[in-house]
Amino acid sequence: PRSSLSSSSAASDVYKRQVSIFISGCAGTGTKDVAVYSAKIEDSETTAFVIGRRTGYTGSAGLISIKIDGAEVGSLGEQEVGVYEVSEGAHTVEVKFKGIAGIGVNAVVKSRQIEDGEKVFYSIQQTMTLLSSKLKMLELTKEGFYDE
């Protein structure tokens, strides 16, 4: 059976879907609003991992999955920050690109003991070479996190 869509109409539909996927792929569950995440950071009762994504333009199209102790707790778009509350104790944080953006890119896993009321700050970064892409997760001080 022949399609009732013209080839230019079909091409236009494909283009619209690709643009839609690209736009929706940029926003995660984090925030870019400093006031939102600062309030949680300054709360002395909150025990949390504070994770910021700073992968740059080359890694901006895909979301990064955030897992704590094996459970996905969120995803971050470029320049987003997530504050993930945890209990006192030992925890494992894993970050990796979701979907096709993650093909050939490593996951990063960090284990860390966290005390009651403590905030642990991580910055997710990406290094690119001609043939590869690599994620890294750096632990920062609170001041270093805000300076990034």
Coordinates of all heavy atoms in Angstrom, one line a residue, residues 53-125:
R53 N 26.5 18.4 36.8 CA 27.0 17.9 35.5 C 27.7 19.0 34.7 O 27.1 20.1 34.5 CB 25.9 17.3 34.7 CG 26.3 16.9 33.3 CD 25.2 16.3 32.5 NE 25.6 16.1 31.2 CZ 24.9 15.5 30.2 NH1 23.7 15.1 30.5 NH2 25.3 15.4 29.0
R54 N 28.9 18.8 34.4 CA 29.7 19.8 33.6 C 30.5 19.1 32.5 O 31.7 19.2 32.3 CB 30.8 20.5 34.6 CG 30.2 21.0 35.9 CD 29.4 22.2 35.7 NE 29.0 22.8 37.0 CZ 27.8 22.7 37.6 NH1 26.9 22.1 36.9 NH2 27.6 23.3 38.7
T55 N 29.7 18.4 31.6 CA 30.3 17.7 30.5 C 30.6 18.5 29.3 O 31.3 18.1 28.4 CB 29.4 16.5 30.1 OG1 28.1 16.9 29.8 CG2 29.4 15.4 31.2
G56 N 30.0 19.7 29.2 CA 30.3 20.6 28.1 C 29.4 20.3 26.9 O 28.6 19.4 26.9
Y57 N 29.6 21.0 25.8 CA 28.8 21.0 24.7 C 28.8 19.6 24.0 O 27.7 19.1 23.6 CB 29.2 22.0 23.6 CG 28.4 21.9 22.4 CD1 27.1 22.4 22.3 CD2 28.9 21.3 21.2 CE1 26.3 22.3 21.2 CE2 28.2 21.3 20.1 CZ 26.9 21.8 20.0 OH 26.1 21.7 18.9
T58 N 29.9 18.9 24.0 CA 30.0 17.6 23.3 C 29.2 16.6 23.9 O 28.7 15.6 23.2 CB 31.5 17.1 23.2 OG1 32.0 17.1 24.5 CG2 32.3 18.0 22.3
G59 N 28.9 16.7 25.2 CA 28.1 15.6 25.9 C 26.7 16.1 26.2 O 26.0 15.5 27.0
S60 N 26.3 17.2 25.7 CA 25.1 17.8 26.1 C 23.8 17.2 25.7 O 22.7 17.4 26.2 CB 25.1 19.3 25.8 OG 25.1 19.5 24.4
A61 N 23.8 16.4 24.6 CA 22.5 15.9 24.0 C 22.0 14.7 24.9 O 20.8 14.5 24.9 CB 22.8 15.4 22.6
G62 N 22.8 14.0 25.5 CA 22.3 12.8 26.3 C 22.2 13.1 27.8 O 22.9 13.9 28.3
L63 N 21.3 12.4 28.4 CA 21.1 12.5 29.9 C 22.1 11.6 30.6 O 22.5 10.6 30.0 CB 19.7 12.2 30.3 CG 18.6 13.1 29.9 CD1 17.2 12.5 30.2 CD2 18.8 14.5 30.5
I64 N 22.5 12.0 31.8 CA 23.3 11.1 32.6 C 22.5 10.6 33.7 O 21.8 11.3 34.4 CB 24.5 11.9 33.1 CG1 25.5 12.2 31.9 CG2 25.2 11.1 34.2 CD1 26.8 12.8 32.3
S65 N 22.5 9.2 33.8 CA 21.8 8.5 34.9 C 22.6 8.6 36.2 O 23.8 8.4 36.2 CB 21.6 7.1 34.4 OG 21.2 6.3 35.5
I66 N 21.9 8.8 37.3 CA 22.5 8.9 38.6 C 21.9 7.7 39.4 O 20.7 7.6 39.6 CB 22.2 10.2 39.4 CG1 22.5 11.4 38.5 CG2 22.9 10.2 40.7 CD1 24.0 11.6 38.1
K67 N 22.8 6.8 39.9 CA 22.3 5.7 40.7 C 23.0 5.8 42.0 O 24.2 6.1 42.1 CB 22.6 4.4 40.1 CG 21.8 4.0 38.8 CD 22.1 2.6 38.3 CE 21.3 2.3 37.1 NZ 21.6 0.9 36.6
I68 N 22.3 5.6 43.1 CA 22.9 5.5 44.4 C 22.5 4.1 45.0 O 21.3 3.8 45.0 CB 22.4 6.6 45.3 CG1 22.9 8.0 44.8 CG2 23.0 6.4 46.8 CD1 22.5 9.2 45.5
D69 N 23.5 3.4 45.4 CA 23.3 2.0 45.9 C 22.5 1.2 44.9 O 21.7 0.4 45.3 CB 22.7 2.1 47.3 CG 23.6 2.8 48.3 OD1 24.8 2.8 48.1 OD2 23.0 3.4 49.2
G70 N 22.8 1.3 43.6 CA 22.1 0.5 42.6 C 20.8 1.0 42.1 O 20.2 0.4 41.2
A71 N 20.2 1.9 42.8 CA 18.8 2.4 42.4 C 19.0 3.8 41.7 O 19.6 4.7 42.2 CB 18.0 2.6 43.6
E72 N 18.3 3.9 40.5 CA 18.3 5.1 39.8 C 17.5 6.2 40.6 O 16.3 6.0 40.9 CB 17.8 5.0 38.4 CG 18.0 6.3 37.6 CD 17.8 6.2 36.1 OE1 17.7 5.0 35.6 OE2 17.7 7.2 35.5
V73 N 18.2 7.3 40.9 CA 17.5 8.4 41.7 C 17.3 9.6 40.9 O 16.6 10.5 41.3 CB 18.4 8.7 43.0 CG1 18.4 7.5 43.9 CG2 19.8 9.1 42.6
G74 N 17.8 9.7 39.7 CA 17.6 10.8 38.8 C 18.4 10.8 37.6 O 19.2 9.8 37.3
S75 N 18.3 11.9 36.8 CA 19.1 12.0 35.6 C 19.4 13.5 35.4 O 18.6 14.4 35.8 CB 18.4 11.5 34.4 OG 17.2 12.1 34.2
L76 N 20.6 13.8 34.9 CA 21.0 15.2 34.8 C 21.3 15.6 33.3 O 22.0 14.8 32.6 CB 22.3 15.4 35.6 CG 22.2 15.3 37.1 CD1 23.5 15.5 37.8 CD2 21.1 16.3 37.7
G77 N 20.8 16.7 32.9 CA 21.1 17.4 31.7 C 22.3 18.3 31.9 O 22.8 18.5 33.1
E78 N 22.9 18.8 30.9 CA 24.1 19.7 31.0 C 23.8 20.9 31.9 O 22.8 21.5 31.8 CB 24.5 20.1 29.6 CG 25.7 21.1 29.6 CD 27.0 20.5 30.3 OE1 27.1 19.3 30.5 OE2 27.8 21.3 30.7
Q79 N 24.7 21.1 32.8 CA 24.7 22.2 33.8 C 23.6 22.1 34.9 O 23.3 23.0 35.6 CB 24.6 23.6 33.1 CG 25.7 24.0 32.2 CD 27.0 24.1 32.9 OE1 27.1 24.7 34.0 NE2 28.1 23.6 32.3
E80 N 23.0 20.9 35.0 CA 22.1 20.7 36.0 C 22.7 20.1 37.3 O 23.8 19.5 37.2 CB 21.0 19.7 35.6 CG 20.0 20.2 34.6 CD 18.9 19.3 34.3 OE1 19.0 18.1 34.5 OE2 17.8 19.8 33.8
V81 N 22.1 20.4 38.4 CA 22.6 19.9 39.7 C 21.4 19.1 40.4 O 20.3 19.5 40.3 CB 23.0 21.1 40.6 CG1 23.3 20.6 42.0 CG2 24.1 21.8 40.0
G82 N 21.8 18.0 41.0 CA 20.9 17.2 41.7 C 21.4 17.0 43.1 O 22.6 16.9 43.4
V83 N 20.4 17.1 44.1 CA 20.8 16.9 45.5 C 20.0 15.7 45.9 O 18.8 15.6 45.9 CB 20.3 18.1 46.4 CG1 20.7 17.9 47.9 CG2 21.0 19.4 45.9
Y84 N 20.8 14.6 46.2 CA 20.2 13.3 46.5 C 20.4 12.9 48.0 O 21.5 12.7 48.4 CB 20.8 12.3 45.6 CG 20.7 12.7 44.1 CD1 21.8 13.2 43.4 CD2 19.5 12.6 43.5 CE1 21.6 13.6 42.1 CE2 19.3 13.0 42.2 CZ 20.4 13.5 41.5 OH 20.2 13.9 40.2
E85 N 19.3 13.0 48.7 CA 19.4 12.7 50.2 C 19.6 11.2 50.4 O 19.0 10.4 49.8 CB 18.1 13.2 50.9 CG 18.0 14.7 50.8 CD 16.8 15.2 51.6 OE1 16.6 14.7 52.7 OE2 16.2 16.2 51.1
V86 N 20.5 10.9 51.4 CA 20.8 9.6 51.8 C 20.9 9.5 53.3 O 20.9 10.5 54.0 CB 22.2 9.1 51.2 CG1 22.1 9.0 49.6 CG2 23.3 10.0 51.6
S87 N 21.0 8.3 53.8 CA 21.2 8.1 55.3 C 22.7 8.1 55.5 O 23.5 8.0 54.6 CB 20.6 6.8 55.7 OG 21.2 5.7 55.0
E88 N 23.0 8.3 56.8 CA 24.4 8.2 57.2 C 24.9 6.8 56.9 O 24.2 5.9 57.0 CB 24.5 8.5 58.7 CG 25.9 8.4 59.2 CD 25.9 8.7 60.7 OE1 24.9 8.8 61.4 OE2 27.1 8.9 61.2
G89 N 26.2 6.7 56.4 CA 26.8 5.4 56.2 C 27.5 5.3 54.8 O 27.8 6.3 54.2
A90 N 27.8 4.1 54.4 CA 28.6 3.9 53.2 C 27.6 3.8 52.0 O 26.6 3.1 52.1 CB 29.4 2.6 53.3
H91 N 27.9 4.5 50.9 CA 27.1 4.5 49.7 C 27.9 4.4 48.5 O 29.1 4.8 48.5 CB 26.2 5.8 49.7 CG 25.3 5.9 50.8 ND1 24.1 5.2 50.8 CD2 25.3 6.6 51.9 CE1 23.4 5.5 51.9 NE2 24.2 6.3 52.6
T92 N 27.3 3.9 47.4 CA 28.0 3.9 46.1 C 27.2 4.7 45.1 O 26.0 4.6 45.0 CB 28.0 2.4 45.6 OG1 28.7 1.6 46.5 CG2 28.7 2.3 44.3
V93 N 27.9 5.6 44.4 CA 27.3 6.5 43.4 C 27.8 6.0 42.1 O 29.0 5.9 41.9 CB 27.6 8.0 43.7 CG1 27.0 8.8 42.6 CG2 27.1 8.4 45.1
E94 N 26.9 5.8 41.1 CA 27.3 5.5 39.7 C 26.6 6.5 38.8 O 25.5 6.8 38.9 CB 26.8 4.1 39.4 CG 27.1 3.7 38.0 CD 26.5 2.3 37.6 OE1 26.0 1.6 38.4 OE2 26.5 2.0 36.4
V95 N 27.4 7.0 37.8 CA 26.9 7.8 36.8 C 27.3 7.3 35.4 O 28.4 6.7 35.3 CB 27.5 9.3 36.9 CG1 27.1 9.9 38.3 CG2 29.0 9.4 36.8
K96 N 26.4 7.4 34.5 CA 26.7 7.0 33.1 C 25.6 7.6 32.2 O 24.5 8.0 32.6 CB 26.7 5.5 33.0 CG 25.3 4.8 33.2 CD 25.4 3.3 33.0 CE 24.0 2.7 33.2 NZ 24.1 1.3 33.0
F97 N 26.0 7.8 30.9 CA 25.1 8.3 29.9 C 24.0 7.3 29.7 O 24.2 6.1 29.7 CB 25.8 8.5 28.6 CG 26.5 9.8 28.5 CD1 27.8 9.9 28.5 CD2 25.7 11.0 28.3 CE1 28.5 11.2 28.4 CE2 26.3 12.2 28.2 CZ 27.7 12.3 28.2
K98 N 22.8 7.8 29.5 CA 21.6 6.9 29.2 C 21.5 6.7 27.7 O 21.9 7.6 26.9 CB 20.3 7.6 29.7 CG 20.2 7.8 31.2 CD 18.9 8.5 31.5 CE 18.0 7.4 32.1 NZ 16.8 8.0 32.7
G99 N 20.9 5.6 27.3 CA 20.6 5.3 25.9 C 21.8 5.3 25.0 O 22.9 5.0 25.3
I100 N 21.5 5.7 23.7 CA 22.6 5.7 22.7 C 23.7 6.6 23.0 O 24.8 6.4 22.5 CB 22.0 5.9 21.3 CG1 21.4 7.3 21.1 CG2 21.1 4.8 20.9 CD1 21.1 7.6 19.7
A101 N 23.5 7.7 23.8 CA 24.6 8.6 24.1 C 25.7 7.9 24.9 O 26.9 8.3 24.9 CB 24.1 9.8 24.9
G102 N 25.4 6.7 25.5 CA 26.3 6.0 26.4 C 27.1 4.9 25.7 O 28.0 4.3 26.3
I103 N 26.8 4.7 24.4 CA 27.6 3.7 23.7 C 29.0 4.0 23.6 O 29.4 5.1 23.1 CB 27.0 3.5 22.2 CG1 25.5 2.9 22.4 CG2 27.8 2.5 21.4 CD1 24.8 2.9 21.0
G104 N 29.9 3.2 24.1 CA 31.3 3.4 24.1 C 31.8 4.3 25.2 O 33.0 4.6 25.2
V105 N 31.0 4.8 26.1 CA 31.4 5.7 27.2 C 31.3 4.9 28.5 O 30.3 4.3 28.8 CB 30.5 7.0 27.2 CG1 31.0 7.9 28.3 CG2 30.5 7.7 25.9
N106 N 32.3 5.1 29.3 CA 32.4 4.4 30.6 C 31.4 4.9 31.6 O 30.9 6.0 31.5 CB 33.8 4.5 31.2 CG 34.1 6.0 31.5 OD1 34.0 6.9 30.6 ND2 34.5 6.3 32.7
A107 N 31.0 4.0 32.5 CA 30.3 4.4 33.7 C 31.4 4.7 34.8 O 32.5 4.2 34.7 CB 29.4 3.3 34.2
V108 N 31.0 5.6 35.7 CA 32.0 5.9 36.8 C 31.3 5.5 38.1 O 30.1 5.9 38.3 CB 32.3 7.4 36.8 CG1 33.3 7.7 38.0 CG2 32.9 7.8 35.5
V109 N 32.0 4.8 39.0 CA 31.4 4.4 40.2 C 32.4 4.9 41.4 O 33.6 4.7 41.3 CB 31.3 2.9 40.3 CG1 30.7 2.4 41.7 CG2 30.4 2.3 39.2
K110 N 31.8 5.5 42.4 CA 32.5 6.0 43.5 C 31.8 5.4 44.8 O 30.6 5.5 44.9 CB 32.6 7.5 43.6 CG 33.2 8.2 42.5 CD 34.7 8.4 42.7 CE 35.3 9.2 41.6 NZ 36.7 9.5 41.8
S111 N 32.6 4.9 45.7 CA 32.1 4.5 47.0 C 32.6 5.5 48.1 O 33.7 6.0 48.0 CB 32.6 3.1 47.4 OG 32.0 2.2 46.5
R112 N 31.7 5.9 49.0 CA 32.0 6.9 49.9 C 31.2 6.8 51.2 O 30.0 6.5 51.2 CB 31.7 8.3 49.3 CG 31.9 9.5 50.1 CD 33.4 9.9 50.2 NE 33.6 11.3 50.5 CZ 33.3 11.9 51.6 NH1 32.7 11.3 52.6 NH2 33.7 13.2 51.7
Q113 N 31.9 7.0 52.3 CA 31.2 7.0 53.6 C 30.7 8.5 53.8 O 31.4 9.4 53.5 CB 32.3 6.7 54.7 CG 31.7 6.7 56.1 CD 30.9 5.5 56.5 OE1 31.0 4.5 55.9 NE2 30.0 5.7 57.4
I114 N 29.5 8.6 54.3 CA 29.0 10.0 54.5 C 28.4 10.1 55.9 O 27.8 9.1 56.4 CB 27.9 10.3 53.4 CG1 27.5 11.8 53.5 CG2 26.7 9.4 53.5 CD1 26.7 12.2 52.3
E115 N 28.7 11.2 56.6 CA 28.3 11.4 58.0 C 27.0 12.1 58.0 O 26.6 12.8 57.1 CB 29.4 12.2 58.8 CG 30.7 11.5 58.8 CD 30.8 10.2 59.4 OE1 30.0 10.0 60.4 OE2 31.5 9.3 58.9
D116 N 26.3 12.0 59.2 CA 25.0 12.7 59.3 C 25.2 14.2 59.1 O 26.0 14.8 59.7 CB 24.4 12.4 60.7 CG 23.0 12.9 60.9 OD1 22.2 12.7 59.9 OD2 22.7 13.4 62.0
G117 N 24.3 14.8 58.3 CA 24.4 16.2 58.0 C 25.5 16.6 57.0 O 25.5 17.8 56.6
E118 N 26.3 15.7 56.5 CA 27.3 16.0 55.6 C 26.8 16.1 54.1 O 25.8 15.4 53.8 CB 28.4 14.9 55.6 CG 29.6 15.1 54.7 CD 30.6 14.0 54.8 OE1 30.3 12.9 55.3 OE2 31.7 14.2 54.3
K119 N 27.4 16.9 53.3 CA 27.2 17.0 51.9 C 28.5 16.6 51.2 O 29.5 17.1 51.5 CB 26.8 18.4 51.4 CG 25.8 19.1 52.3 CD 24.5 18.5 52.4 CE 23.5 19.3 53.3 NZ 23.8 19.4 54.7
V120 N 28.3 15.7 50.2 CA 29.5 15.3 49.4 C 29.2 15.8 48.0 O 28.2 15.6 47.4 CB 29.7 13.8 49.4 CG1 30.8 13.4 48.4 CG2 29.9 13.2 50.8
F121 N 30.2 16.6 47.5 CA 30.0 17.3 46.2 C 30.8 16.6 45.1 O 32.0 16.4 45.3 CB 30.5 18.8 46.3 CG 29.7 19.6 47.3 CD1 30.0 19.6 48.7 CD2 28.6 20.3 46.9 CE1 29.3 20.3 49.6 CE2 27.9 21.1 47.8 CZ 28.2 21.0 49.1
Y122 N 30.1 16.3 44.0 CA 30.7 15.6 42.9 C 30.4 16.5 41.6 O 29.3 17.0 41.4 CB 30.2 14.2 42.6 CG 30.7 13.2 43.6 CD1 29.8 12.3 44.2 CD2 32.0 13.0 43.8 CE1 30.2 11.3 45.1 CE2 32.5 12.0 44.7 CZ 31.5 11.2 45.3 OH 32.0 10.2 46.1
S123 N 31.4 16.5 40.8 CA 31.3 17.2 39.5 C 31.5 16.1 38.4 O 32.6 15.5 38.4 CB 32.3 18.3 39.3 OG 32.3 18.8 38.0
I124 N 30.5 15.9 37.5 CA 30.7 15.0 36.4 C 31.2 15.7 35.2 O 30.7 16.7 34.8 CB 29.3 14.4 36.0 CG1 28.6 13.7 37.2 CG2 29.5 13.4 34.8 CD1 27.2 13.3 36.9
Q125 N 32.4 15.2 34.7 CA 33.0 15.9 33.6 C 33.3 14.9 32.5 O 33.2 13.6 32.8 CB 34.3 16.5 34.1 CG 34.0 17.6 35.1 CD 35.3 18.2 35.7 OE1 36.4 17.9 35.3 NE2 35.1 19.1 36.6

